[in-house]
Each structure stands twice: as C-alpha cells, then as structure tokens.
Amino acid sequence: MSEPRPSDRHDNSDSDDAFAEIVDEETQRDPDLAVIEAGSRTLRTRSGPPQGDEVPARPADPEVDKALRAVEQELAGRWGETKLEPSVTRIAALMDVLGEPQRAYPSIHITGTNGKTSTARMIEALLGAFDLRTGRYTSPHVQSITERISLDGSPIDPERFIEAYQDIKPYVEMVDTQQPYRLSFFEVLTGMAYAAFADAPVDVAVVEVGMGGSWDATNVIDGSVAVVTPISLDHTDRLGTTPAEIAGEKAGIIKQGATVILAQQPVDAAQVMLKKAVEVDATVAREGMEFGVVSREIAVGGQLLTLRGLGGEYEEIFLPLYGAHQAHNAAVALSAVEAFFGIGAEQPGSLDVDTVRRAFASVISPGRLEVVRSSPTVVLDAAHNPAGARATADGLSEAFGFSRLIGVVGTSSDKDVKGLLEAFEPIFAEVVITQNSSGRAMDVDELAAVAVEVFGEDRVQVEPRLDDALEAAITLAEEEDEYAGAGVLVTGSVITVGEARLLLGRR
C-alpha cells in the first residue's frame, strides 16, 4: 500500500487562533460537549485523483442491457431495503462460504443520518489521489444500480456487475437454503461488492452502511476507521425515536482499537458514541475539537475552504459542491483519510496539500444540490428528512440568488414529510406536489394535504406525474419577466431526483 507524502507542518499562531475560534463556536453550539469529553480517548496532534463519475446510463448493447435487467429482476424478487430482519447472520454465512472476501483489504466504514454518500465520495477521491486503488459501496443509487459498487472512482460497468452477481449466485442460493429467511436485496448486493473488491483487488474499501450500524449487512467488516456523519431523526420505526437511541445502533460499527471520526453531533448522540469508543478502546477525533472547518468562502461553482485536519491546516481547498454541510463533510473526509494513514497518531506531519487540493477539486456528488439545467436553473437534491432539508435550504439560499424558487416535491411514505416541508417553506414561493414511481412513494393526495397545511392552498399545485410536475414548475419559474432569476428545486427522495434527472436528459 502506498504511503502518503507528508509535508512539514509549520507553527502558525494566527492559524491556531482561528481554530480556537471555531472550537469556541462549536462548543457554544453544544455547550455540554465539555462534560462528555471526560473519559474519552482523543486524537490530539501538534504536529492525480479519479475525476469522478457521472451517473451511468443503461447499457448501449441490447444483450448486456437484457442481462442486466434479468439480474435486477432477480434482486427485486428478494426482500427490499425497507424490509429488515435485524441480524448479520445471513450475510456472515455468505461471507463464510465466499472465503471471507471482506478481510482481503482494509476498510473505512461510514454511518450517520445525512451526508454519508458525499463523505464517501470525498474519502474515495482523497485515497485515489494518493495512488491507492479504491472500492466504494454506497446506497441508494440515483439512476443505475451499478452506481452502488465503484472501483477507482467509477461505477463498475454493467458486464462486471452481471459477472459479480453470477459469481456469487450459487453461494447465495446455498445460504438461502440454510437460513429461515432468504438473503435480502441489500445483503446480496453487499456480498457482490465485497467479492468484487477482493477480486479487483482494492487497496482500501470505503463502505457506507445501508441503515443503522450494528445489524447492518455491511457490518461484517472490521473498519480501521469508523466515520460518523451527523445523526438526526430518520428511520425512527427501526432505529429509535431519539438521537441517542439511533446513535446506539450506529455505534455498532466502532470496532476494537479503531479510530472514530465524529462529525458534530447532538449531545446525547455524542455521549453514546464516546461511551462505545471507551468500551472498545477506540480513539476518537471530534469535529470542532480535533478537526474542523476554519473558514469557507463562496466561490464560482462551489466554495473555497481552509480545513483543520489531524495533522495540521490545509488552505485554499476548492470544493465544487454547495452548502456549509458539504464543507463539514469535507473536514470529516480529510480527517478520516489522515487517520487511515496514521497521521496524528503514528506519524507527525500532514498530507501533501497539493494532492489534497487536486482530490477535493475532483469531487462530484450527483443529486446533491446538483444543477442540471439553466434558464431557468433546475437544481436536484436528495434531501429526504428534516435535517437534510434544512441543510439543503441553507445551502441553496447561500449559493444561488434566486428571486423566486419553485419546489417540486415527491417523498416516500415512511418519512417525516411535514418536517421536511416546513424546512423548505421559507424558501419556496410555490410547491408542486408529485409522486415518483416507487412502491414506497407517498400518495400524491396525502402529500398535498400535508403541503396545504404548511404552505396554504394558494401556494400548492398538484401534478401526479413527475414529468408534468417538472413542466409545471418550470412554467411557474418562467411566467413573469420580473422573475428572470427564478429557479426550481426538485427534492424529497433519491428516487424522485433520479427520475427527474432522467427526464431532464442527464445520463
């Protein structure tokens, strides 16, 4: 495995003062962090990447497309991602008969409520920039199922996806016969990813949990670095009704002796994470304490950052993504990669700043404040819970000077829909309520009734078909000359965003 190219760190009192200010700011946001610091081990240090992928289209070869559809159909016949039997028994059995492929490479494991996929993409870009071969496993996909398994920064091609499925299919069927329940859709995909990474082979896997942590199918790896992005309320019927309860499930990815990179958290969630870290002798680095965002400025096409990592300060980092939440994701990703290389614990110095700059400049995250059309500007964002919606609303308001913003919203039925709509209410002049094609989609009339409660009847339009909803929103944005700066935001679900992306001609 290649080693990073550390650069000497120079003392800089002005930088230290700046970081002290963000520590004060973060602590003031959660004043009880000073209390929960006691007893935790912390990291205290004094001392040409992949260019990113677009979302893949359907295979051009009709035979390959037919074979991929057959695999998709077989996978769809299994339990979906929302039907769970909380256990790693089945996936562990599959790993056993496959020869434990997940042990063939080190892993960085990512949990949290929001920001996991963007953070995974940033980590992947950084590792690739330091000449490591990467495998990335994320979910859900925006348009193509092949997005979920990536090698060297790009989704595996359809032929390889089909081959990965066919390779493990006999073993999947063997495990199915031995278990009370068949392996689920997500468990089979996880097995495919881990096997594909071993076959590649990769130097490191970047793995995003599907849901929770302790009983998530991905949790048969021993991640040397455990990343916890911000925790908020989501999947409350399965994970718990408070941040602390949800954190209890997500803390399950923290393994003995690991390094934990902890994004800013609600105090009760942070307490749970720190307690778990102490129990398994893990080392913890916390945003706002050991690392953080020193400064950020809006720039054309993104933002310019100064990040404080575990090994020092990294200035003039251009990130081509919008929103303060993405800056915080970048700080988490940087610290995770530093921890993977041992920076701040096993060796002094920092990562080569020019390499870090090139890596961050290459990052893309489809469906996350992604501009897909101009005149009027149409932005896609996969926010699907209130915390994500608030981050999206703030990022959109900061980065775009819309004179009038029209929302297109289609959600899943198991979400806090009212909370999501309330987060967008201050920035939407009008909202077009619609429905995506998923069986989990919330009925358009039910969603419209909630929207009327939040926005009032005069600001709500209903278009059951997504194509009609997009046309209606674009028409509303264009209808008066004085609104030449109007825009459209499509949001509420990854599925809604993916289908809108196809309808708007993105491939």
Side-chain angles (χ1 to χ4, degrees):
M1 182 168 65
S2 304
E3 292 294 326
R5 296 184 287 275
S7 61
D8 294 334
R9 183 185 170 199
H10 302 286
D11 291 334
N12 188 326
S13 58
D14 290 340
S15 298
D16 290 343
D17 290 344
F19 191 67
E21 290 180 9
I22 70 164
V23 169
D24 290 342
E25 178 183 340
E26 296 287 353
T27 306
Q28 287 166 9
R29 284 168 58 192
D30 287 326
D32 291 338
L33 277 175
V35 177
I36 62 179
E37 179 178 2
S40 69
R41 292 180 63 199
T42 60
L43 273 171
R44 297 187 182 278
T45 176
R46 300 185 64 85
S47 22
Q51 291 304 305
D53 56 288
E54 286 293 336
V55 175
R58 296 299 309 183
D61 185 327
E63 291 302 314
V64 175
D65 188 50
K66 180 180 178 181
L68 179 59
R69 289 185 188 277
V71 171
E72 290 170 328
Q73 186 174 3
E74 288 189 28
L75 289 170
R78 295 180 173 272
W79 274 3
E81 290 173 280
T82 59
K83 185 173 182 179
L84 303 169
E85 193 276 318
S87 165
V88 295
T89 302
R90 291 174 303 281
I91 187 67
L94 179 61
M95 293 296 100
D96 182 55
V97 297
L98 288 175
E100 303 289 346
Q102 81 282 14
R103 311 285 184 208
Y105 38 81
S107 302
I108 297 175
H109 207 176
I110 306 170
T111 191
T113 303
N114 292 308
K116 296 188 294 296
T117 298
S118 292
T119 302
R121 284 176 170 271
M122 294 178 197
I123 291 172
E124 173 189 51
L126 284 162
L127 293 168
F130 286 103
D131 300 323
L132 295 187
R133 186 162 204 208
T134 57
R136 170 171 53 85
Y137 181 53
T138 53
S139 60
H141 56 274
V142 177
Q143 286 175 206
S144 171
I145 195 170
T146 61
E147 297 166 39
R148 295 180 181 234
I149 304 173
S150 290
L151 292 172
D152 296 322
S154 296
I156 62 175
D157 59 42
E159 292 88 348
R160 194 163 190 170
F161 186 90
I162 295 162
E163 182 182 354
Y165 177 72
Q166 296 298 342
D167 283 347
I168 74 165
K169 182 178 177 180
Y171 302 96
V172 168
E173 292 172 345
M174 182 189 308
V175 173
D176 283 344
T177 64
Q178 298 170 349
Q179 299 294 325
Y181 305 102
R182 297 170 70 215
L183 286 152
S184 70
F185 168 89
F186 187 73
E187 287 168 334
V188 175
L189 275 174
T190 302
M192 289 169 58
Y194 288 166
F197 295 162
D199 287 343
V202 302
D203 295 315
V204 54
V206 183
V207 178
E208 173 189 336
V209 303
M211 186 185 298
S214 60
W215 44 256
D216 186 75
T218 63
N219 202 31
V220 289
I221 58 172
D222 292 320
S224 60
V225 179
V227 176
V228 187
T229 65
I231 291 172
S232 61
L233 299 182
D234 200 7
H235 302 295
T236 54
D237 55 332
R238 297 176 178 86
L239 302 180
T241 57
T242 68
E245 290 177 352
I246 293 171
E249 286 295 333
K250 294 182 183 294
I253 74 163
I254 301 174
K255 304 297 169 50
Q256 186 74 32
T259 300
V260 183
I261 304 299
L262 194 61
Q264 184 69 38
Q265 303 292 344
V267 174
D268 56 348
Q271 288 174 323
V272 171
M273 289 290 172
L274 292 173
K275 181 180 178 182
K276 173 69 174 182
V278 171
E279 289 173 355
V280 299
D281 199 32
T283 302
V284 180
R286 298 152 300 164
E287 183 182 6
M289 298 294 179
E290 287 73 46
F291 68 92
V293 180
V294 176
S295 65
R296 53 185 295 269
E297 301 175 16
I298 306 305
V300 176
Q303 50 193 310
L304 192 64
L305 310 175
T306 296
L307 302 176
R308 180 69 169 251
L310 307 179
E313 197 160 292
Y314 300 79
E315 298 179 338
E316 297 182 358
I317 305 297
F318 175 69
L319 180 68
L321 301 174
Y322 300 106
H325 60 295
Q326 295 289 17
H328 290 284
N329 290 340
V332 168
L334 174 62
S335 297
V337 172
E338 286 182 310
F340 179 79
F341 284 131
I343 298 291
E346 300 170 12
Q347 60 178 319
S350 57
L351 299 176
D352 178 71
V353 67
D354 288 332
T355 306
V356 170
R357 287 172 182 149
R358 289 198 302 273
F360 275 119
S362 75
V363 172
I364 64 168
S365 194
R368 277 74 179 178
L369 284 178
E370 180 187 19
V371 178
V372 293
R373 171 183 165 150
S374 57
S375 301
T377 299
V378 178
V379 182
L380 307 180
D381 192 89
H384 55 272
N385 56 48
R390 288 190 291 271
T392 295
D394 289 344
L396 199 73
S397 299
E398 175 185 79
F400 298 88
F402 292 129
S403 58
R404 185 180 186 223
L405 182 64
I406 310 299
V408 175
V409 179
T411 69
S412 296
S413 58
D414 57 346
K415 299 299 181 181
D416 179 0
V417 172
K418 187 173 184 181
L420 180 140
L421 292 172
E422 286 174 342
F424 285 125
E425 190 278 332
I427 67 168
F428 285 167
E430 296 181 63
V431 61
V432 181
I433 298 300
T434 191
Q435 184 171 335
N436 62 53
S437 64
S438 167
R440 296 172 53 207
M442 188 169 189
D443 177 78
V444 69
D445 293 327
E446 292 180 19
L447 180 56
V450 180
V452 168
E453 285 183 42
V454 175
F455 290 89
E457 190 171 352
D458 292 345
R459 294 167 64 193
V460 176
Q461 183 171 332
V462 179
E463 294 291 349
R465 288 169 50 104
L466 181 56
D467 54 350
D468 292 335
L470 291 171
E471 183 177 352
I474 290 169
T475 300
L476 286 169
E478 292 176 328
E479 66 182 2
E480 296 183 38
D481 290 341
E482 67 178 292
Y483 294 130
V488 174
L489 174 68
V490 184
T491 190
S493 164
V494 175
I495 297 167
T496 301
V497 163
E499 292 179 356
R501 212 173 184 274
L502 279 170
L503 288 167
L504 292 165
R506 293 303 291 258
R507 296 290 188 272

